[in-house]
Amino acid sequence: MAISKQRVPARTLRTASIIILAFAPTMLLFGVNMFQVGSNPGSSARELQESGLPGTVTDARVNVGYAGDGLQHLFRVELTFLGSDGTKHTLTTNHFPRHPAPSTSTQGWLLDFPTKAEIVGQPVRYRLGESPAVELEREIPALVAEGWSFPNYLGLGLMVLAVGAAVGGTVSLVRTMRQIREG
């Protein structure tokens, strides 16, 4: 049995090429965003290390919730700290000494948790304004030294795919336009 080779009409190829070209920038932007998300903790920590204001933690509480594994986890800590100007500020961070979540049936913010004594009294670096951030000073070196994570690789892969789609879509569109003009 011979397989019949039917040609796809040129107008259909043109439409497909235009759709691919419209999709490529979206995929490129999503890839760039994913790459930035993966790089954010390290770059934010670097900025705080270089130009963050010093402060001291006066109180802390953690956010407890259930993760996909059905167990309770500590997701983030809310730090209340005195800033360099003596003003009290409250910001959250995801980087703090981890310990298994306390066995409670409650979800939400808890004032008492196992590593609170390790956090209160510790120095922090923070910034206020458009994108406020705070990190415990002892967590900053590990964040700065952290390598690429999954979002970095995913973002890079999406950017490469987007460039490939743009090149392929452009080549296909040029060939299709020649076919339409010729006949």
Side-chain angles (χ1 to χ4, degrees):
M1 270 202 224
I3 299 174
S4 64
K5 292 186 177 182
Q6 294 180 348
R7 291 190 64 157
V8 177
R11 294 188 193 283
T12 304
L13 286 175
R14 180 184 63 189
T15 304
S17 298
I18 291 170
I19 290 171
I20 290 170
L21 285 172
F23 183 67
T26 304
M27 191 167 32
L28 181 68
L29 290 174
F30 186 70
V32 168
N33 188 39
M34 288 300 293
F35 190 81
Q36 289 174 343
V37 164
S39 301
N40 193 29
S43 61
S44 178
R46 222 173 276 105
E47 290 172 11
L48 289 173
Q49 189 176 37
E50 294 169 1
S51 61
L53 300 169
T56 304
V57 179
T58 58
D59 195 17
R61 64 183 188 155
V62 292
N63 186 262
V64 176
Y66 289 97
D69 59 5
L71 300 174
Q72 282 190 325
H73 292 275
L74 306 176
F75 291 112
R76 61 185 184 271
V77 65
E78 182 181 82
L79 301 174
T80 302
F81 57 95
L82 289 177
S84 57
D85 59 355
T87 308
K88 187 182 264 191
H89 304 284
T90 303
L91 294 171
T92 61
T93 182
N94 297 331
H95 310 106
F96 57 97
R98 299 289 178 166
H99 194 275
S103 299
T104 65
S105 60
T106 60
Q107 291 188 61
W109 293 100
L110 294 179
L111 295 174
D112 294 319
F113 57 98
T115 57
K116 184 172 183 172
E118 293 178 40
I119 296 173
V120 175
Q122 291 296 313
V124 294
R125 289 288 195 181
Y126 71 96
R127 74 168 171 252
L128 302 173
E130 198 171 299
S131 60
V134 65
E135 294 294 346
L136 294 166
E137 278 190 6
R138 68 180 182 194
E139 299 289 329
I140 290 176
L143 290 170
V144 169
E146 195 173 84
W148 279 17
S149 61
F150 177 72
N152 292 108
Y153 292 110
L154 179 62
L156 188 60
L158 287 172
M159 288 187 283
V160 168
L161 283 173
V163 169
V167 169
T170 303
V171 168
S172 177
L173 185 61
V174 168
R175 285 184 180 173
T176 304
M177 295 308 290
R178 281 186 194 152
Q179 283 178 0
I180 290 173
R181 273 191 241 122
E182 290 173 2

